[in-house]
Amino acid sequence: MTEFDPALTAGPDIELGLDTFGDMTVDEDGKRKSASQVIRDVVAQAVLADELGVYSIGLGEHHRDDFAISAPDIVLAAIAGQTGRIRLGTAVTVLSSDDPIRVYERFATLDAVSRGRAEVILGRGSFTESFPLFGFDLDDYEMLFEEKLDLFARLRTEQPVTWSGRHRSTLHEQRVYPRTESGHLAAWIGVGGSPESVVRSVTHQIPMMLAIIGGAPDRFVPYVDLYRRAQVQLADQTGQTAAMPLGAHSPGHVADTDEQALDEYWPHYRAMHDRIGRERGWPATTKDQLIAETRTGSQYVGSPDTVAARIAETAKRLGLTRFDFKYASGPMGHATLMRSIELYGTRVIPRVRELLGS
């Protein structure tokens, strides 16, 4: 057995980022904004995050009328031109209904215009609208992701690729351009909670980003343990010497006080939850359920100290090296989101580092 140790410890150098799906929001009069304005607002939110020193911004990909962003790489390119430090990624790119070569080319190009700040989180997506939209059969859901991830992992070597599968044309010694300046495009795999996804992450040497959107974070401990065991087995076979990073993504909202945060968040969270719930057969949510989630679950809602304490607790429990805070849920207004970002950057992040440092 190798002496390689993949155990991760959350420390003060943890990477703390932000995510948004570009939810369709309302103006000060409660009127729904246009998708164009929401996209411009997202750019402004990312610029603020960059000014505050937030590590990263991730944009989700959706193809439905309650989210404005269907082409996150385009929005990220706009953000790249107005920022200088913040990493630019997705949350997630739906690889199953896209072409791996085109995904790689787009993000390698983003990496060039942003001077090496691009990254991509690959996933199957929790919504399925992109499959019929782009001509894919949902019966092939699992195979599409497995095949396309295999090809994408090979493309990351930036060497000629020979590959064949069922869902795209065969490649023989194919090069893909542009190459990145670093020789390596940063990538993650979004994992919602299946053992197969955990093993897939380690097999392809693409780090795991846990999507923890409900319930106690502790329920993901078995997946973290599997992630570590799989790395030990791979190290025995290949001589791998470096542990893979581990990230998590969870939603929430920050305001000056716990009461204010809950009051601001609740109506918009309810609108989002119940809208999606009507499609999926969920019962209507209640405020008591949300309160329970904010205390012991995966809704990080409260004052800066409250949110920081909960993030630090989760980071320690799971051994995270990265935590992405999904700051927008439902039609909450732009000004409120900007205040949440400001508090996250100026007070939550320093407090998390302080707690993990002690």
Side-chain angles (χ1 to χ4, degrees), residues 97-115:
S97 57
D98 210 327
D99 184 89
I101 291 180
R102 291 297 289 143
V103 171
Y104 194 88
E105 289 175 338
R106 295 197 304 265
F107 281 87
T109 301
L110 176 65
D111 199 63
V113 299
S114 67
R115 297 185 179 273

Side-chain angles (χ1 to χ4, degrees), residues 25-314:
T25 57
V26 295
D27 61 20
E28 294 178 358
D29 297 323
K31 182 180 178 182
R32 181 180 167 106
K33 289 186 175 182
S34 69
S36 299
Q37 185 57 57
V38 170
I39 289 170
R40 290 190 290 267
D41 287 345
V42 168
V43 173
Q45 291 157 17
V47 169
L48 174 61
D50 180 64
E51 292 170 353
L52 297 172
V54 175
Y55 178 76
S56 63
I57 182 76
L59 308 185
E61 172 197 344
H62 296 87
H63 304 269
R64 41 188 290 139
D65 68 355
D66 41 356
F67 301 109
I69 300 173
S70 60
D73 45 295
I74 301 296
V75 185
L76 291 167
I79 294 169
Q82 299 185 45
T83 59
R85 297 180 296 177
I86 196 166
R87 291 193 64 80
L88 309 167
T90 52
V92 300
T93 291
V94 185
L95 185 64
S96 306
S97 57
D98 210 327
D99 184 89
I101 291 180
R102 291 297 289 143
V103 171
Y104 194 88
E105 289 175 338
R106 295 197 304 265
F107 281 87
T109 301
L110 176 65
D111 199 63
V113 299
S114 67
R115 297 185 179 273
R117 290 185 283 141
E119 62 181 20
V120 58
I121 301 180
L122 306 166
R124 289 173 288 189
S126 60
F127 295 91
T128 59
E129 287 83 1
S130 64
F131 289 82
L133 182 64
F134 298 120
F136 295 100
D137 191 334
L138 278 171
D139 289 340
D140 297 326
Y141 185 82
E142 293 289 342
M143 184 180 293
L144 281 166
F145 187 68
E146 179 61 54
E147 279 196 2
K148 294 185 178 189
L149 181 62
D150 178 61
L151 175 53
F152 189 90
R154 298 187 192 201
L155 295 171
R156 290 182 75 221
T157 67
E158 301 197 355
Q159 298 300 313
V161 171
T162 297
W163 181 93
S164 63
R166 288 182 52 187
H167 296 282
R168 77 169 325 279
S169 56
T170 297
L171 303 174
H172 180 70
E173 292 295 296
Q174 181 68 54
R175 287 190 177 273
V176 175
Y177 304 100
R179 297 183 184 180
T180 61
E181 287 182 319
S182 68
H184 183 79
L185 179 64
W188 297 76
I189 296 178
V191 174
S194 76
E196 294 79 11
S197 296
V198 177
V199 174
R200 189 181 291 129
S201 167
V202 176
T203 300
H204 291 298
Q205 286 291 277
I206 302 177
M208 178 169 70
M209 178 70 71
L210 295 168
I212 308 179
I213 59 175
D218 274 7
R219 66 193 178 90
F220 282 83
V221 168
Y223 299 106
V224 173
D225 291 342
L226 176 60
Y227 187 59
R228 293 168 177 164
R229 293 199 309 273
Q231 289 180 68
V232 170
Q233 293 177 6
L234 185 67
D236 286 338
Q237 298 167 9
T238 66
Q240 172 190 351
T241 58
M244 295 170 64
L246 174 64
H249 141 113
S250 291
H253 177 60
V254 192
D256 290 286
T257 67
D258 289 346
E259 182 179 13
Q260 180 186 350
L262 187 62
D263 287 346
E264 289 176 349
Y265 191 67
W266 161 243
H268 304 292
Y269 169 80
R270 177 177 58 184
M272 177 197 67
H273 181 282
D274 290 354
R275 181 187 64 245
I276 297 171
R278 285 190 291 271
E279 300 173 4
R280 302 187 178 184
W282 301 343
T285 191
T286 68
K287 194 170 185 178
D288 285 343
Q289 288 174 324
L290 174 60
I291 290 171
E293 276 286 329
T294 65
R295 291 175 177 169
T296 60
S298 298
Q299 292 285 335
Y300 295 74
V301 179
S303 68
D305 283 346
T306 295
V307 172
R310 296 227 47 236
I311 291 174
E313 178 185 20
T314 298

